[in-house]
Amino acid sequence: MFEFRDLFQWDRFITPTIIKTFYWLVIALIILFGISGIFSGLAAMAISPFGGFILVMSSLASVIVGIIFARIAAEFVLIVFRINEHLGALRDQGQNLGQDHGHGHGQQY
């Protein structure tokens, strides 16, 4: 997890540690909106059975699609941070190689 002082320092990213929390909050909101849509569809069935049925089905479909897109968005954010970590590791590896073998470039014996 992250500490409070990490909010004021830029040495470490806090997003990868809290992205799962945001993901579950988004999932909860999607489910709540889906339940609201289902109840609206059930209430609409009293007026128009076919229209209410379509509303219930579209609410269920939107919950499924919303969960999938929330997961894709969370994974995309994590991938961006992982790419950053890997690029930093490659940079460090390149600097270490340059320091170890940097002497005598261009000279052949």
Side-chain angles (χ1 to χ4, degrees), residues 56-83:
V56 168
M57 289 296 118
S58 65
S59 296
L60 289 173
S62 64
V63 166
I64 293 169
V65 170
I67 290 172
I68 291 170
F69 277 120
R71 179 64 188 235
I72 290 170
E75 286 183 9
F76 180 74
V77 170
L78 290 175
I79 286 171
V80 169
F81 281 96
R82 188 157 302 153
I83 288 170

Side-chain angles (χ1 to χ4, degrees), residues 8-81:
F8 302 106
Q9 297 176 354
W10 292 96
D11 298 335
R12 197 179 104 155
F13 292 114
I14 63 168
T15 305
T17 58
I18 60 173
I19 191 69
K20 290 178 185 176
T21 305
F22 280 114
Y23 171 73
W24 287 110
L25 287 173
V26 169
I27 294 299
L29 285 174
I30 290 169
I31 290 173
L32 286 175
F33 281 118
I35 291 171
S36 170
I38 289 170
F39 283 129
S40 296
L42 292 175
M45 278 187 181
I47 300 169
S48 169
F50 182 71
F53 178 75
I54 294 297
L55 187 57
V56 168
M57 289 296 118
S58 65
S59 296
L60 289 173
S62 64
V63 166
I64 293 169
V65 170
I67 290 172
I68 291 170
F69 277 120
R71 179 64 188 235
I72 290 170
E75 286 183 9
F76 180 74
V77 170
L78 290 175
I79 286 171
V80 169
F81 281 96

